[in-house]
Amino acid sequence: MKITVNIDCTPQEAREFLGLPNIQPMQEKAMKQIEERLLAGVASMSPDAILRNWMSFNPEQIGDMFKMFGGLAGAGTKK
């Protein structure tokens, strides 16, 4: 014997029928926080902000950069 039962209801109705909690308000708050964090991250990734971070004037950093590039240039000539 095979019995098939089809229930036509919305997800909200199914949650209420099964006694599951309504987590929609919590989910909306979490999504709002995620959106705020993403937007803050995008602002820090603007080309202007990246260049300011990379090109901040510090003589020690410039010397380190030249050492790094010198090491890369010499690495291709060694056998």
Side-chain angles (χ1 to χ4, degrees):
M1 177 191 282
K2 184 176 181 181
I3 299 174
T4 303
V5 177
N6 293 326
I7 300 173
D8 186 22
C9 66
T10 65
Q12 179 64 31
E13 292 170 339
R15 279 192 295 272
E16 289 173 2
F17 177 75
L18 295 172
L20 298 174
N22 183 11
I23 60 168
Q24 187 172 0
M26 183 180 62
Q27 186 179 20
E28 288 173 359
K29 287 179 186 178
M31 291 304 293
K32 185 176 180 181
Q33 289 178 354
I34 291 170
E35 181 182 5
E36 289 170 358
R37 288 181 187 174
L38 284 173
L39 292 176
V42 168
S44 68
M45 294 300 292
S46 70
D48 183 46
I50 291 173
L51 286 176
R52 264 191 271 122
N53 189 15
W54 287 355
M55 300 300 177
S56 63
F57 183 71
N58 185 348
E60 294 174 5
Q61 289 178 347
I62 292 174
D64 292 342
M65 184 176 67
F66 283 128
K67 288 178 188 175
M68 180 184 70
F69 287 137
L72 291 175
T77 59
K78 294 180 183 178
K79 292 184 182 180

